Amino acid sequence: MTLEGHLDCAGPEAAFGYARYDGYGDGTIRVADLRSYGSSAPTLFAEVWQVGLSHEPFAVCVVTDYEVRAVCFTVAWDGPGTPVVVASLATDDPLVARSIMFVSDRDGSPVCGFC
């Protein structure tokens, strides 16, 4: 799966990341996956993932601060022989309007750049 787009933010000391929301618990973001903004806006991004699929839909959001979701989408799959369905999701949808848990062995979190 490839996620690409841009953020109208910049700043060398700031970072954004990708939070995954499974079920109805907190979203998770690996601090190792944080990305730095560009030195000038817009900041372009393109991430490619191999995503292990289950029959349970999940969501992914680009996050620019602790609770700021810039864009979100859902991923669903009904099993072998069926296509993976990716769809836009409102950033305030109940599936993603939850806290973010950072998974890491080092410090870090998404921090908003100057927009």
Side-chain angles (χ1 to χ4, degrees):
M1 176 182 350
T2 301
L3 174 63
E4 60 185 339
H6 72 276
L7 296 167
D8 292 327
C9 300
E13 301 298 320
F16 65 94
Y18 307 94
R20 179 172 168 151
Y21 296 82
D22 292 300
Y24 289 95
D26 292 337
T28 56
I29 183 171
R30 291 175 10 115
V31 174
D33 292 337
L34 290 174
R35 302 293 181 254
S36 296
Y37 288 100
S39 58
S40 62
T43 295
L44 304 177
F45 61 85
E47 294 290 330
V48 177
W49 294 293
Q50 280 194 323
V51 179
L53 296 174
S54 70
H55 297 289
E56 296 298 320
F58 63 91
V60 175
C61 296
V62 176
V63 295
T64 61
D65 210 338
Y66 282 99
E67 302 285 330
V68 180
R69 294 169 295 278
V71 63
C72 300
F73 61 94
T74 59
V75 180
W77 182 58
D78 288 332
T82 63
V84 174
V85 178
V86 179
S88 294
L89 183 68
T91 58
D92 60 353
D93 186 279
L95 183 61
V96 296
R98 295 177 275 136
S99 297
I100 298 169
M101 178 178 65
F102 296 94
V103 180
S104 176
D105 57 358
R106 63 183 177 92
D107 292 335
S109 65
V111 177
C112 199
F114 53 86
C115 301

mmCIF file of all heavy atoms in Angstrom, residues 21-76:
data_model
loop_
_atom_site.group_PDB
_atom_site.id
_atom_site.type_symbol
_atom_site.label_atom_id
_atom_site.label_comp_id
_atom_site.label_asym_id
_atom_site.label_seq_id
_atom_site.Cartn_x
_atom_site.Cartn_y
_atom_site.Cartn_z
ATOM 1 N N TYR A 21 -5.123 2.631 13.493
ATOM 2 C CA TYR A 21 -6.239 2.413 14.418
ATOM 3 C C TYR A 21 -6.876 1.069 14.106
ATOM 4 O O TYR A 21 -7.486 0.898 13.061
ATOM 5 C CB TYR A 21 -7.287 3.514 14.266
ATOM 6 C CG TYR A 21 -6.791 4.887 14.627
ATOM 7 C CD1 TYR A 21 -6.068 5.643 13.701
ATOM 8 C CD2 TYR A 21 -7.040 5.430 15.871
ATOM 9 C CE1 TYR A 21 -5.615 6.911 14.022
ATOM 10 C CE2 TYR A 21 -6.589 6.695 16.201
ATOM 11 C CZ TYR A 21 -5.880 7.429 15.268
ATOM 12 O OH TYR A 21 -5.432 8.672 15.591
ATOM 13 N N ASP A 22 -6.704 0.108 15.011
ATOM 14 C CA ASP A 22 -7.336 -1.209 14.900
ATOM 15 C C ASP A 22 -8.456 -1.276 15.925
ATOM 16 O O ASP A 22 -8.268 -0.836 17.061
ATOM 17 C CB ASP A 22 -6.326 -2.323 15.188
ATOM 18 C CG ASP A 22 -5.256 -2.419 14.120
ATOM 19 O OD1 ASP A 22 -5.619 -2.643 12.956
ATOM 20 O OD2 ASP A 22 -4.074 -2.268 14.458
ATOM 21 N N GLY A 23 -9.564 -1.837 15.559
ATOM 22 C CA GLY A 23 -10.660 -1.966 16.513
ATOM 23 C C GLY A 23 -11.042 -0.623 17.096
ATOM 24 O O GLY A 23 -11.118 0.373 16.392
ATOM 25 N N TYR A 24 -11.252 -0.595 18.400
ATOM 26 C CA TYR A 24 -11.668 0.647 19.034
ATOM 27 C C TYR A 24 -10.752 1.053 20.170
ATOM 28 O O TYR A 24 -11.149 1.779 21.063
ATOM 29 C CB TYR A 24 -13.127 0.545 19.485
ATOM 30 C CG TYR A 24 -14.044 0.555 18.289
ATOM 31 C CD1 TYR A 24 -14.490 -0.627 17.730
ATOM 32 C CD2 TYR A 24 -14.394 1.746 17.677
ATOM 33 C CE1 TYR A 24 -15.292 -0.616 16.594
ATOM 34 C CE2 TYR A 24 -15.182 1.780 16.543
ATOM 35 C CZ TYR A 24 -15.632 0.593 16.022
ATOM 36 O OH TYR A 24 -16.404 0.605 14.892
ATOM 37 N N GLY A 25 -9.494 0.623 20.137
ATOM 38 C CA GLY A 25 -8.509 1.071 21.118
ATOM 39 C C GLY A 25 -7.818 2.324 20.605
ATOM 40 O O GLY A 25 -8.213 2.922 19.607
ATOM 41 N N ASP A 26 -6.761 2.727 21.291
ATOM 42 C CA ASP A 26 -5.985 3.887 20.862
ATOM 43 C C ASP A 26 -5.330 3.617 19.519
ATOM 44 O O ASP A 26 -5.063 2.470 19.155
ATOM 45 C CB ASP A 26 -4.878 4.194 21.879
ATOM 46 C CG ASP A 26 -5.425 4.680 23.202
ATOM 47 O OD1 ASP A 26 -6.557 5.192 23.226
ATOM 48 O OD2 ASP A 26 -4.714 4.562 24.214
ATOM 49 N N GLY A 27 -5.033 4.692 18.794
ATOM 50 C CA GLY A 27 -4.229 4.577 17.593
ATOM 51 C C GLY A 27 -2.785 4.342 18.019
ATOM 52 O O GLY A 27 -2.374 4.751 19.107
ATOM 53 N N THR A 28 -2.009 3.666 17.205
ATOM 54 C CA THR A 28 -0.603 3.448 17.532
ATOM 55 C C THR A 28 0.275 4.058 16.453
ATOM 56 O O THR A 28 -0.059 4.034 15.270
ATOM 57 C CB THR A 28 -0.259 1.949 17.664
ATOM 58 O OG1 THR A 28 -0.611 1.275 16.460
ATOM 59 C CG2 THR A 28 -0.979 1.329 18.841
ATOM 60 N N ILE A 29 1.383 4.616 16.891
ATOM 61 C CA ILE A 29 2.358 5.176 15.969
ATOM 62 C C ILE A 29 3.740 4.759 16.453
ATOM 63 O O ILE A 29 4.049 4.846 17.630
ATOM 64 C CB ILE A 29 2.230 6.714 15.871
ATOM 65 C CG1 ILE A 29 3.215 7.271 14.843
ATOM 66 C CG2 ILE A 29 2.410 7.368 17.208
ATOM 67 C CD1 ILE A 29 2.977 8.740 14.539
ATOM 68 N N ARG A 30 4.514 4.238 15.540
ATOM 69 C CA ARG A 30 5.893 3.877 15.869
ATOM 70 C C ARG A 30 6.754 5.128 15.731
ATOM 71 O O ARG A 30 6.792 5.745 14.675
ATOM 72 C CB ARG A 30 6.394 2.780 14.929
ATOM 73 C CG ARG A 30 5.721 1.461 15.154
ATOM 74 C CD ARG A 30 6.138 0.405 14.131
ATOM 75 N NE ARG A 30 7.243 0.774 13.287
ATOM 76 C CZ ARG A 30 8.451 0.162 13.286
ATOM 77 N NH1 ARG A 30 8.667 -0.850 14.072
ATOM 78 N NH2 ARG A 30 9.393 0.559 12.465
ATOM 79 N N VAL A 31 7.415 5.479 16.802
ATOM 80 C CA VAL A 31 8.249 6.679 16.779
ATOM 81 C C VAL A 31 9.337 6.547 15.714
ATOM 82 O O VAL A 31 9.721 7.522 15.081
ATOM 83 C CB VAL A 31 8.825 6.970 18.179
ATOM 84 C CG1 VAL A 31 9.801 8.120 18.143
ATOM 85 C CG2 VAL A 31 7.681 7.275 19.143
ATOM 86 N N ALA A 32 9.779 5.325 15.447
ATOM 87 C CA ALA A 32 10.788 5.110 14.403
ATOM 88 C C ALA A 32 10.268 5.511 13.028
ATOM 89 O O ALA A 32 11.056 5.758 12.111
ATOM 90 C CB ALA A 32 11.228 3.649 14.393
ATOM 91 N N ASP A 33 8.947 5.600 12.875
ATOM 92 C CA ASP A 33 8.361 5.962 11.583
ATOM 93 C C ASP A 33 8.058 7.448 11.458
ATOM 94 O O ASP A 33 7.442 7.864 10.474
ATOM 95 C CB ASP A 33 7.075 5.163 11.344
ATOM 96 C CG ASP A 33 7.349 3.692 11.132
ATOM 97 O OD1 ASP A 33 8.486 3.346 10.733
ATOM 98 O OD2 ASP A 33 6.442 2.881 11.361
ATOM 99 N N LEU A 34 8.452 8.267 12.433
ATOM 100 C CA LEU A 34 8.249 9.709 12.308
ATOM 101 C C LEU A 34 9.081 10.238 11.154
ATOM 102 O O LEU A 34 10.184 9.761 10.889
ATOM 103 C CB LEU A 34 8.637 10.433 13.595
ATOM 104 C CG LEU A 34 7.713 10.218 14.785
ATOM 105 C CD1 LEU A 34 8.299 10.885 16.022
ATOM 106 C CD2 LEU A 34 6.322 10.748 14.498
ATOM 107 N N ARG A 35 8.567 11.222 10.458
ATOM 108 C CA ARG A 35 9.257 11.832 9.327
ATOM 109 C C ARG A 35 9.393 13.324 9.564
ATOM 110 O O ARG A 35 8.477 13.966 10.082
ATOM 111 C CB ARG A 35 8.475 11.607 8.024
ATOM 112 C CG ARG A 35 8.238 10.149 7.700
ATOM 113 C CD ARG A 35 9.557 9.445 7.371
ATOM 114 N NE ARG A 35 9.347 8.060 7.030
ATOM 115 C CZ ARG A 35 9.640 7.034 7.815
ATOM 116 N NH1 ARG A 35 10.148 7.253 9.016
ATOM 117 N NH2 ARG A 35 9.443 5.802 7.426
ATOM 118 N N SER A 36 10.517 13.895 9.154
ATOM 119 C CA SER A 36 10.742 15.333 9.311
ATOM 120 C C SER A 36 10.027 16.094 8.209
ATOM 121 O O SER A 36 9.905 15.620 7.073
ATOM 122 C CB SER A 36 12.237 15.653 9.217
ATOM 123 O OG SER A 36 12.922 15.050 10.285
ATOM 124 N N TYR A 37 9.552 17.276 8.565
ATOM 125 C CA TYR A 37 8.993 18.168 7.563
ATOM 126 C C TYR A 37 10.129 18.690 6.685
ATOM 127 O O TYR A 37 11.288 18.708 7.094
ATOM 128 C CB TYR A 37 8.326 19.382 8.223
ATOM 129 C CG TYR A 37 7.034 19.073 8.914
ATOM 130 C CD1 TYR A 37 6.988 18.911 10.284
ATOM 131 C CD2 TYR A 37 5.849 18.970 8.192
ATOM 132 C CE1 TYR A 37 5.789 18.654 10.931
ATOM 133 C CE2 TYR A 37 4.652 18.709 8.829
ATOM 134 C CZ TYR A 37 4.631 18.550 10.202
ATOM 135 O OH TYR A 37 3.447 18.292 10.830
ATOM 136 N N GLY A 38 9.781 19.162 5.500
ATOM 137 C CA GLY A 38 10.755 19.815 4.644
ATOM 138 C C GLY A 38 11.124 21.177 5.208
ATOM 139 O O GLY A 38 10.487 21.685 6.133
ATOM 140 N N SER A 39 12.153 21.790 4.644
ATOM 141 C CA SER A 39 12.584 23.106 5.125
ATOM 142 C C SER A 39 11.649 24.214 4.652
ATOM 143 O O SER A 39 11.648 25.303 5.201
ATOM 144 C CB SER A 39 14.021 23.394 4.681
ATOM 145 O OG SER A 39 14.106 23.322 3.276
ATOM 146 N N SER A 40 10.839 23.934 3.623
ATOM 147 C CA SER A 40 9.833 24.898 3.184
ATOM 148 C C SER A 40 8.586 24.122 2.758
ATOM 149 O O SER A 40 8.664 22.965 2.344
ATOM 150 C CB SER A 40 10.355 25.765 2.034
ATOM 151 O OG SER A 40 10.659 24.964 0.911
ATOM 152 N N ALA A 41 7.443 24.777 2.892
ATOM 153 C CA ALA A 41 6.175 24.121 2.558
ATOM 154 C C ALA A 41 5.950 24.154 1.050
ATOM 155 O O ALA A 41 6.419 25.059 0.386
ATOM 156 C CB ALA A 41 5.035 24.818 3.287
ATOM 157 N N PRO A 42 5.263 23.177 0.493
ATOM 158 C CA PRO A 42 4.673 22.043 1.189
ATOM 159 C C PRO A 42 5.698 20.938 1.422
ATOM 160 O O PRO A 42 6.721 20.857 0.736
ATOM 161 C CB PRO A 42 3.600 21.560 0.207
ATOM 162 C CG PRO A 42 4.167 21.895 -1.145
ATOM 163 C CD PRO A 42 4.912 23.193 -0.942
ATOM 164 N N THR A 43 5.427 20.105 2.412
ATOM 165 C CA THR A 43 6.236 18.922 2.671
ATOM 166 C C THR A 43 5.582 17.757 1.939
ATOM 167 O O THR A 43 4.429 17.422 2.216
ATOM 168 C CB THR A 43 6.318 18.632 4.182
ATOM 169 O OG1 THR A 43 7.022 19.692 4.824
ATOM 170 C CG2 THR A 43 7.025 17.315 4.454
ATOM 171 N N LEU A 44 6.283 17.183 0.996
ATOM 172 C CA LEU A 44 5.771 16.034 0.251
ATOM 173 C C LEU A 44 6.104 14.762 1.012
ATOM 174 O O LEU A 44 7.141 14.679 1.667
ATOM 175 C CB LEU A 44 6.386 15.977 -1.140
ATOM 176 C CG LEU A 44 6.211 17.223 -2.013
ATOM 177 C CD1 LEU A 44 6.932 17.033 -3.333
ATOM 178 C CD2 LEU A 44 4.743 17.521 -2.239
ATOM 179 N N PHE A 45 5.227 13.759 0.917
ATOM 180 C CA PHE A 45 5.533 12.471 1.526
ATOM 181 C C PHE A 45 5.014 11.358 0.638
ATOM 182 O O PHE A 45 4.066 11.536 -0.121
ATOM 183 C CB PHE A 45 4.955 12.356 2.945
ATOM 184 C CG PHE A 45 3.454 12.461 3.018
ATOM 185 C CD1 PHE A 45 2.648 11.347 2.820
ATOM 186 C CD2 PHE A 45 2.848 13.673 3.297
ATOM 187 C CE1 PHE A 45 1.267 11.441 2.897
ATOM 188 C CE2 PHE A 45 1.466 13.780 3.377
ATOM 189 C CZ PHE A 45 0.670 12.663 3.178
ATOM 190 N N ALA A 46 5.670 10.237 0.711
ATOM 191 C CA ALA A 46 5.237 9.016 0.029
ATOM 192 C C ALA A 46 5.776 7.851 0.840
ATOM 193 O O ALA A 46 6.980 7.705 0.995
ATOM 194 C CB ALA A 46 5.760 8.965 -1.398
ATOM 195 N N GLU A 47 4.894 7.073 1.406
ATOM 196 C CA GLU A 47 5.267 5.925 2.225
ATOM 197 C C GLU A 47 4.685 4.668 1.602
ATOM 198 O O GLU A 47 3.534 4.649 1.173
ATOM 199 C CB GLU A 47 4.733 6.075 3.646
ATOM 200 C CG GLU A 47 5.344 7.205 4.424
ATOM 201 C CD GLU A 47 6.794 6.972 4.796
ATOM 202 O OE1 GLU A 47 7.208 5.795 4.985
ATOM 203 O OE2 GLU A 47 7.529 7.961 4.890
ATOM 204 N N VAL A 48 5.474 3.612 1.579
ATOM 205 C CA VAL A 48 5.026 2.328 1.050
ATOM 206 C C VAL A 48 5.095 1.322 2.187
ATOM 207 O O VAL A 48 6.112 1.233 2.886
ATOM 208 C CB VAL A 48 5.930 1.864 -0.116
ATOM 209 C CG1 VAL A 48 5.492 0.497 -0.617
ATOM 210 C CG2 VAL A 48 5.924 2.893 -1.239
ATOM 211 N N TRP A 49 4.008 0.593 2.396
ATOM 212 C CA TRP A 49 3.958 -0.414 3.448
ATOM 213 C C TRP A 49 3.475 -1.736 2.896
ATOM 214 O O TRP A 49 2.639 -1.776 2.005
ATOM 215 C CB TRP A 49 2.946 -0.043 4.538
ATOM 216 C CG TRP A 49 3.233 1.144 5.336
ATOM 217 C CD1 TRP A 49 4.260 1.318 6.220
ATOM 218 C CD2 TRP A 49 2.482 2.352 5.371
ATOM 219 N NE1 TRP A 49 4.174 2.555 6.788
ATOM 220 C CE2 TRP A 49 3.093 3.203 6.291
ATOM 221 C CE3 TRP A 49 1.347 2.799 4.710
ATOM 222 C CZ2 TRP A 49 2.606 4.465 6.565
ATOM 223 C CZ3 TRP A 49 0.859 4.053 4.979
ATOM 224 C CH2 TRP A 49 1.494 4.871 5.906
ATOM 225 N N GLN A 50 3.986 -2.802 3.479
ATOM 226 C CA GLN A 50 3.360 -4.098 3.312
ATOM 227 C C GLN A 50 2.508 -4.260 4.557
ATOM 228 O O GLN A 50 3.024 -4.233 5.675
ATOM 229 C CB GLN A 50 4.381 -5.213 3.227
ATOM 230 C CG GLN A 50 4.999 -5.335 1.872
ATOM 231 C CD GLN A 50 5.746 -6.636 1.732
ATOM 232 O OE1 GLN A 50 6.373 -7.104 2.662
ATOM 233 N NE2 GLN A 50 5.681 -7.208 0.553
ATOM 234 N N VAL A 51 1.228 -4.370 4.361
ATOM 235 C CA VAL A 51 0.305 -4.418 5.485
ATOM 236 C C VAL A 51 -0.284 -5.809 5.572
ATOM 237 O O VAL A 51 -0.890 -6.295 4.618
ATOM 238 C CB VAL A 51 -0.821 -3.381 5.306
ATOM 239 C CG1 VAL A 51 -1.785 -3.446 6.469
ATOM 240 C CG2 VAL A 51 -0.235 -1.988 5.168
ATOM 241 N N GLY A 52 -0.076 -6.458 6.722
ATOM 242 C CA GLY A 52 -0.720 -7.736 6.952
ATOM 243 C C GLY A 52 -2.213 -7.506 7.083
ATOM 244 O O GLY A 52 -2.650 -6.700 7.889
ATOM 245 N N LEU A 53 -2.977 -8.168 6.266
ATOM 246 C CA LEU A 53 -4.414 -7.934 6.261
ATOM 247 C C LEU A 53 -5.140 -8.973 7.092
ATOM 248 O O LEU A 53 -4.769 -10.141 7.131
ATOM 249 C CB LEU A 53 -4.942 -7.979 4.827
ATOM 250 C CG LEU A 53 -4.404 -6.899 3.903
ATOM 251 C CD1 LEU A 53 -4.886 -7.142 2.487
ATOM 252 C CD2 LEU A 53 -4.843 -5.530 4.379
ATOM 253 N N SER A 54 -6.151 -8.514 7.767
ATOM 254 C CA SER A 54 -7.077 -9.408 8.453
ATOM 255 C C SER A 54 -8.457 -9.100 7.888
ATOM 256 O O SER A 54 -8.605 -8.246 7.019
ATOM 257 C CB SER A 54 -7.038 -9.148 9.960
ATOM 258 O OG SER A 54 -7.629 -7.899 10.252
ATOM 259 N N HIS A 55 -9.429 -9.771 8.390
ATOM 260 C CA HIS A 55 -10.783 -9.507 7.916
ATOM 261 C C HIS A 55 -11.404 -8.335 8.667
ATOM 262 O O HIS A 55 -12.528 -7.956 8.379
ATOM 263 C CB HIS A 55 -11.643 -10.754 8.034
ATOM 264 C CG HIS A 55 -11.134 -11.878 7.177
ATOM 265 N ND1 HIS A 55 -11.224 -11.860 5.809
ATOM 266 C CD2 HIS A 55 -10.505 -13.024 7.488
ATOM 267 C CE1 HIS A 55 -10.685 -12.956 5.318
ATOM 268 N NE2 HIS A 55 -10.235 -13.678 6.312
ATOM 269 N N GLU A 56 -10.680 -7.773 9.605
ATOM 270 C CA GLU A 56 -11.164 -6.609 10.343
ATOM 271 C C GLU A 56 -10.633 -5.341 9.691
ATOM 272 O O GLU A 56 -9.423 -5.199 9.494
ATOM 273 C CB GLU A 56 -10.690 -6.665 11.795
ATOM 274 C CG GLU A 56 -11.238 -7.843 12.571
ATOM 275 C CD GLU A 56 -12.752 -7.812 12.681
ATOM 276 O OE1 GLU A 56 -13.316 -6.720 12.875
ATOM 277 O OE2 GLU A 56 -13.362 -8.888 12.565
ATOM 278 N N PRO A 57 -11.497 -4.399 9.348
ATOM 279 C CA PRO A 57 -11.007 -3.137 8.776
ATOM 280 C C PRO A 57 -10.196 -2.363 9.805
ATOM 281 O O PRO A 57 -10.376 -2.520 11.009
ATOM 282 C CB PRO A 57 -12.277 -2.387 8.392
ATOM 283 C CG PRO A 57 -13.401 -3.092 9.036
ATOM 284 C CD PRO A 57 -12.943 -4.440 9.474
ATOM 285 N N PHE A 58 -9.278 -1.547 9.304
ATOM 286 C CA PHE A 58 -8.498 -0.671 10.174
ATOM 287 C C PHE A 58 -8.360 0.668 9.475
ATOM 288 O O PHE A 58 -8.727 0.825 8.320
ATOM 289 C CB PHE A 58 -7.136 -1.277 10.521
ATOM 290 C CG PHE A 58 -6.217 -1.485 9.349
ATOM 291 C CD1 PHE A 58 -5.313 -0.498 8.968
ATOM 292 C CD2 PHE A 58 -6.246 -2.666 8.627
ATOM 293 C CE1 PHE A 58 -4.463 -0.686 7.896
ATOM 294 C CE2 PHE A 58 -5.391 -2.870 7.554
ATOM 295 C CZ PHE A 58 -4.505 -1.873 7.185
ATOM 296 N N ALA A 59 -7.849 1.637 10.197
ATOM 297 C CA ALA A 59 -7.678 2.981 9.635
ATOM 298 C C ALA A 59 -6.244 3.434 9.850
ATOM 299 O O ALA A 59 -5.566 2.989 10.777
ATOM 300 C CB ALA A 59 -8.643 3.966 10.297
ATOM 301 N N VAL A 60 -5.786 4.327 8.979
ATOM 302 C CA VAL A 60 -4.474 4.961 9.095
ATOM 303 C C VAL A 60 -4.682 6.453 8.910
ATOM 304 O O VAL A 60 -5.433 6.876 8.034
ATOM 305 C CB VAL A 60 -3.486 4.431 8.033
ATOM 306 C CG1 VAL A 60 -2.168 5.187 8.092
ATOM 307 C CG2 VAL A 60 -3.258 2.937 8.204
ATOM 308 N N CYS A 61 -4.012 7.256 9.763
ATOM 309 C CA CYS A 61 -4.076 8.711 9.647
ATOM 310 C C CYS A 61 -2.675 9.293 9.625
ATOM 311 O O CYS A 61 -1.783 8.793 10.312
ATOM 312 C CB CYS A 61 -4.806 9.340 10.830
ATOM 313 S SG CYS A 61 -6.536 8.898 10.967
ATOM 314 N N VAL A 62 -2.489 10.340 8.851
ATOM 315 C CA VAL A 62 -1.279 11.148 8.933
ATOM 316 C C VAL A 62 -1.524 12.095 10.102
ATOM 317 O O VAL A 62 -2.517 12.813 10.124
ATOM 318 C CB VAL A 62 -1.038 11.947 7.636
ATOM 319 C CG1 VAL A 62 0.178 12.847 7.783
ATOM 320 C CG2 VAL A 62 -0.870 10.996 6.457
ATOM 321 N N VAL A 63 -0.635 12.046 11.105
ATOM 322 C CA VAL A 63 -0.807 12.874 12.296
ATOM 323 C C VAL A 63 0.319 13.896 12.381
ATOM 324 O O VAL A 63 1.479 13.585 12.120
ATOM 325 C CB VAL A 63 -0.893 12.031 13.584
ATOM 326 C CG1 VAL A 63 -2.136 11.171 13.581
ATOM 327 C CG2 VAL A 63 0.336 11.159 13.761
ATOM 328 N N THR A 64 -0.059 15.119 12.730
ATOM 329 C CA THR A 64 0.923 16.205 12.785
ATOM 330 C C THR A 64 1.129 16.743 14.195
ATOM 331 O O THR A 64 1.920 17.647 14.390
ATOM 332 C CB THR A 64 0.497 17.367 11.872
ATOM 333 O OG1 THR A 64 -0.760 17.871 12.313
ATOM 334 C CG2 THR A 64 0.405 16.911 10.429
ATOM 335 N N ASP A 65 0.416 16.208 15.154
ATOM 336 C CA ASP A 65 0.575 16.576 16.556
ATOM 337 C C ASP A 65 -0.140 15.503 17.354
ATOM 338 O O ASP A 65 -0.749 14.603 16.791
ATOM 339 C CB ASP A 65 0.004 17.976 16.820
ATOM 340 C CG ASP A 65 0.725 18.699 17.950
ATOM 341 O OD1 ASP A 65 1.358 18.017 18.787
ATOM 342 O OD2 ASP A 65 0.669 19.934 17.994
ATOM 343 N N TYR A 66 -0.109 15.595 18.666
ATOM 344 C CA TYR A 66 -0.669 14.535 19.501
ATOM 345 C C TYR A 66 -2.072 14.110 19.105
ATOM 346 O O TYR A 66 -2.387 12.936 19.064
ATOM 347 C CB TYR A 66 -0.674 14.964 20.969
ATOM 348 C CG TYR A 66 0.674 14.852 21.616
ATOM 349 C CD1 TYR A 66 1.478 15.963 21.767
ATOM 350 C CD2 TYR A 66 1.138 13.627 22.065
ATOM 351 C CE1 TYR A 66 2.720 15.865 22.355
ATOM 352 C CE2 TYR A 66 2.382 13.509 22.652
ATOM 353 C CZ TYR A 66 3.173 14.636 22.795
ATOM 354 O OH TYR A 66 4.398 14.524 23.374
ATOM 355 N N GLU A 67 -2.950 15.020 18.840
ATOM 356 C CA GLU A 67 -4.337 14.700 18.513
ATOM 357 C C GLU A 67 -4.769 15.293 17.175
ATOM 358 O O GLU A 67 -5.959 15.414 16.911
ATOM 359 C CB GLU A 67 -5.265 15.222 19.624
ATOM 360 C CG GLU A 67 -4.959 14.675 21.001
ATOM 361 C CD GLU A 67 -5.393 13.223 21.206
ATOM 362 O OE1 GLU A 67 -6.373 12.800 20.570
ATOM 363 O OE2 GLU A 67 -4.740 12.528 21.993
ATOM 364 N N VAL A 68 -3.822 15.682 16.327
ATOM 365 C CA VAL A 68 -4.162 16.332 15.060
ATOM 366 C C VAL A 68 -3.988 15.342 13.914
ATOM 367 O O VAL A 68 -2.875 14.950 13.581
ATOM 368 C CB VAL A 68 -3.303 17.596 14.820
ATOM 369 C CG1 VAL A 68 -3.678 18.237 13.492
ATOM 370 C CG2 VAL A 68 -3.467 18.575 15.961
ATOM 371 N N ARG A 69 -5.117 14.942 13.334
ATOM 372 C CA ARG A 69 -5.113 14.033 12.194
ATOM 373 C C ARG A 69 -5.331 14.862 10.938
ATOM 374 O O ARG A 69 -6.367 15.503 10.775
ATOM 375 C CB ARG A 69 -6.233 12.998 12.382
ATOM 376 C CG ARG A 69 -5.978 12.066 13.570
ATOM 377 C CD ARG A 69 -7.191 11.217 13.913
ATOM 378 N NE ARG A 69 -8.318 12.021 14.387
ATOM 379 C CZ ARG A 69 -8.451 12.463 15.637
ATOM 380 N NH1 ARG A 69 -7.535 12.199 16.544
ATOM 381 N NH2 ARG A 69 -9.500 13.183 15.979
ATOM 382 N N ALA A 70 -4.347 14.871 10.032
ATOM 383 C CA ALA A 70 -4.431 15.688 8.818
ATOM 384 C C ALA A 70 -5.291 15.020 7.747
ATOM 385 O O ALA A 70 -6.043 15.682 7.045
ATOM 386 C CB ALA A 70 -3.041 15.970 8.271
ATOM 387 N N VAL A 71 -5.172 13.720 7.617
ATOM 388 C CA VAL A 71 -5.938 12.954 6.626
ATOM 389 C C VAL A 71 -5.994 11.508 7.107
ATOM 390 O O VAL A 71 -5.048 11.017 7.724
ATOM 391 C CB VAL A 71 -5.304 13.055 5.216
ATOM 392 C CG1 VAL A 71 -3.926 12.454 5.183
ATOM 393 C CG2 VAL A 71 -6.193 12.428 4.156
ATOM 394 N N CYS A 72 -7.115 10.848 6.849
ATOM 395 C CA CYS A 72 -7.298 9.460 7.286
ATOM 396 C C CYS A 72 -7.936 8.635 6.178
ATOM 397 O O CYS A 72 -8.621 9.175 5.311
ATOM 398 C CB CYS A 72 -8.215 9.398 8.510
ATOM 399 S SG CYS A 72 -7.622 10.294 9.948
ATOM 400 N N PHE A 73 -7.725 7.322 6.262
ATOM 401 C CA PHE A 73 -8.392 6.411 5.340
ATOM 402 C C PHE A 73 -8.588 5.069 6.021
ATOM 403 O O PHE A 73 -7.917 4.747 6.997
ATOM 404 C CB PHE A 73 -7.621 6.267 4.021
ATOM 405 C CG PHE A 73 -6.246 5.707 4.164
ATOM 406 C CD1 PHE A 73 -6.017 4.349 4.021
ATOM 407 C CD2 PHE A 73 -5.165 6.534 4.425
ATOM 408 C CE1 PHE A 73 -4.739 3.822 4.144
ATOM 409 C CE2 PHE A 73 -3.884 6.018 4.540
ATOM 410 C CZ PHE A 73 -3.675 4.660 4.408
ATOM 411 N N THR A 74 -9.531 4.296 5.516
ATOM 412 C CA THR A 74 -9.776 2.946 6.018
ATOM 413 C C THR A 74 -9.273 1.933 5.008
ATOM 414 O O THR A 74 -9.206 2.202 3.809
ATOM 415 C CB THR A 74 -11.276 2.677 6.273
ATOM 416 O OG1 THR A 74 -11.993 2.846 5.054
ATOM 417 C CG2 THR A 74 -11.827 3.593 7.344
ATOM 418 N N VAL A 75 -8.937 0.761 5.520
ATOM 419 C CA VAL A 75 -8.501 -0.360 4.687
ATOM 420 C C VAL A 75 -9.347 -1.557 5.093
ATOM 421 O O VAL A 75 -9.441 -1.887 6.276
ATOM 422 C CB VAL A 75 -7.000 -0.666 4.911
ATOM 423 C CG1 VAL A 75 -6.565 -1.838 4.045
ATOM 424 C CG2 VAL A 75 -6.147 0.565 4.633
ATOM 425 N N ALA A 76 -9.979 -2.190 4.117
ATOM 426 C CA ALA A 76 -10.824 -3.353 4.394
ATOM 427 C C ALA A 76 -10.562 -4.441 3.356
ATOM 428 O O ALA A 76 -10.240 -4.154 2.210
ATOM 429 C CB ALA A 76 -12.296 -2.953 4.370
#
